[in-house]
Amino acid sequence: MAKLLFAMTGTAYWTLKDGSRYATGYWAEEFAAPYKAFTDAGHQVVVATPGGVVPTVDMMSLRPEMAGSAQTALDLEAIIRSAEEMRRPIQLADARPEDYDAVYFPGGHGPMEDLSVNADAGRLLTTALASGKPLAVVCHAPAAMLATRVHGVTPFAGYRVSAFTNEEEEAVGLAPRARWLLEDELRELGVDFTRGEAWKPYTVVDRNLYTGQNPASAAELAERLLKVLP
């Protein structure tokens, strides 16, 4: 049995360009699909957030039109409700990659607010990447890579990385309202940004780094991880 760390956003909002707060958190599918895949396979999951706060689900991700169907939305909610780990997260500051067989960062717009500037998230990512163990990051969670910069340099420079694209941010209507766009910042960071078709599953593996473009990529990312877990 493997032990996986889910490093998650702890915020319930994203501050937009005009200073308003957009209600968000983590995206349901990006937690629930991998969580079910890993736990069904007999693996253990530990959740970590900044300050050890209970993660907030983005309620939009539980709408039938966003989940794909009313039944899928109900299934996602049921998985989240059944996950005891979500009610007792550890503090991100206490998370040590050496205690886990893999580290996974789910997305949602929340990481744009907190993990992008969180020193503990940056430390965790840097250490996990250097460990050689699987490190998976999906959708908006690669925003946490921005917190790995030391004197403008990141260990992720040159790695092939996928994440939520400018096109997809435009499609949800948030691109004009955002202070910055994830694709732009990652390109500026020096990663080799790669993408597939909007809203379709797309994952890329570069050494021990596994990244996915959007919510639809989370399940595929989990399946790729399952093949390499002990």
Side-chain angles (χ1 to χ4, degrees):
M1 179 183 75
K3 186 177 181 182
L4 296 100
L5 178 70
F6 277 37
M8 301 181 65
T9 179
T11 190
Y13 64 87
W14 177 30
T15 305
L16 300 177
K17 190 189 305 182
D18 63 1
S20 64
R21 290 182 171 185
Y22 176 79
T24 184
Y26 70 89
W27 198 258
E29 182 180 2
E30 295 173 35
F31 169 81
Y35 176 84
K36 187 175 191 309
F38 296 139
T39 55
D40 282 356
H43 300 308
Q44 178 187 357
V45 169
V46 174
V47 173
T49 63
V53 302
V54 175
T56 298
V57 65
D58 188 325
M59 295 307 296
M60 186 175 291
S61 66
L62 292 174
R63 292 181 182 177
E65 63 270 25
M66 300 303 291
S69 71
Q71 187 57 55
T72 300
L74 289 173
D75 291 345
L76 291 173
E77 188 170 4
I79 294 168
I80 292 168
R81 289 185 182 277
S82 72
E84 289 289 335
E85 300 87 350
M86 293 289 271
R87 290 185 280 280
R88 44 181 175 83
I90 67 170
Q91 293 193 43
L92 198 59
D94 296 333
R96 305 189 311 165
E98 57 266 32
D99 295 336
Y100 303 93
D101 297 292
V103 174
Y104 170 58
F105 280 70
H109 281 101
M112 301 281 282
E113 180 74 22
D114 61 353
L115 300 187
S116 64
V117 293
N118 185 282
D120 294 318
R123 171 192 56 81
L124 179 63
L125 279 171
T126 298
T127 308
L129 187 70
S131 75
K133 297 177 184 177
L135 169 60
V137 196
V138 72
C139 198
H140 285 93
M145 294 178 187
L146 304 180
T148 66
R149 286 177 289 202
V150 177
H151 303 302
V153 179
T154 174
F156 289 89
Y159 274 79
R160 295 183 70 228
V161 171
S162 190
F164 204 67
T165 63
N166 289 353
E167 178 187 0
E168 288 163 319
E169 205 72 88
E170 291 277 0
V172 298
L174 287 170
R177 303 170 62 193
R179 290 174 296 164
W180 47 272
L181 297 177
L182 182 56
E183 179 182 337
D184 292 345
E185 291 297 311
L186 289 174
R187 290 184 185 278
E188 183 68 24
L189 194 65
V191 306
D192 178 9
F193 191 88
T194 178
R195 56 160 295 174
E197 187 179 347
W199 310 117
K200 301 293 185 182
Y202 181 79
T203 58
V204 60
V205 180
D206 188 344
R207 287 156 277 185
N208 63 315
L209 179 62
Y210 295 68
T211 53
Q213 180 173 318
N214 47 36
S217 306
E220 182 178 295
L221 205 62
E223 289 302 317
R224 298 187 78 160
L225 275 184
L226 281 171
K227 294 176 181 177
V228 297
L229 289 175

